Amino acid sequence: MKPTFVLTLSALLLTPLATLNAADSRLPADFNSKLRTTLTRHLNQLIKDDGSLAELKGKTSEGSGAFTFYLMYEFTQEQKYRNAALRLVDQVLRDMRATKFGVLPIKEKEKSGGKTIIGGGPPALGN
């Protein structure tokens, strides 16, 4: 399964849980447990033993990843997920600061005269 898909699906599943109190939830009692087990298994595959993250390509993956890891931190209170979220945010900001106008490179574009430039886009955290 691609990391982008896992992160997007995880974010979709975690968002409602982050806003629900246990008393307000109409979900089956074992749902949180099953969700936690499943998401922990998938997200842990993206965190290496030394705490670094698997390489995520694309601003959507980085933005969704930061959001998902932070939601998982709020859901579990496990510090490794918060650290992963902060690492991704730091990487996005570092990539943006490395460019002339603070945009993320998206693709090469051809200009008149045969020149090639890198076209940019808004930050990943603005998804």
Side-chain angles (χ1 to χ4, degrees), residues 13-14 17-18 20 31-37 39-40 68-78 81:
L13 291 171
L14 284 168
L17 291 177
L20 285 175
F31 179 77
N32 282 353
S33 174
K34 288 179 181 180
L35 179 63
R36 181 182 181 138
T37 300
L39 295 177
T40 299
T68 301
F69 279 115
Y70 196 80
L71 285 176
M72 190 64 168
Y73 161 70
E74 288 184 344
F75 184 54
T76 65
Q77 295 299 304
E78 289 187 41
Y81 297 121

Side-chain angles (χ1 to χ4, degrees), residues 18-35:
T19 60
L20 285 175
N21 288 331
D24 296 336
S25 177
R26 293 189 183 118
L27 301 171
D30 65 339
F31 179 77
N32 282 353
S33 174
K34 288 179 181 180
L35 179 63

Side-chain angles (χ1 to χ4, degrees), residues 6 28 33 37 48 51 56 79 82 89 91 120 124:
V6 170
S33 174
T37 300
K48 297 178 184 177
L56 300 176
Q79 194 64 34
R82 182 177 183 277
V89 169
Q91 180 61 48

Side-chain angles (χ1 to χ4, degrees), residues 95-126:
D95 290 348
M96 288 174 58
R97 289 181 181 130
T99 65
K100 184 175 181 177
F101 298 107
V103 296
L104 298 172
I106 295 177
K107 65 179 181 178
E108 287 187 358
K109 297 179 179 180
E110 285 193 31
K111 296 297 256 183
S112 59
K115 290 185 179 181
T116 305
I117 64 166
I118 298 291
L125 306 176

Side-chain angles (χ1 to χ4, degrees), residues 1-13 39 42-43 45-46 54-69 88 124 127:
M1 205 176 288
K2 291 188 172 192
T4 304
F5 176 75
V6 170
L7 293 172
T8 303
L9 180 61
S10 299
L12 289 172
L13 291 171
L39 295 177
H42 288 292
L43 293 178
Q45 290 178 3
L46 299 175
E55 185 175 329
L56 300 176
K57 293 188 178 196
K59 67 179 191 165
T60 301
S61 292
E62 292 170 338
S64 295
F67 182 61
T68 301
F69 279 115
L88 281 171
N127 287 350

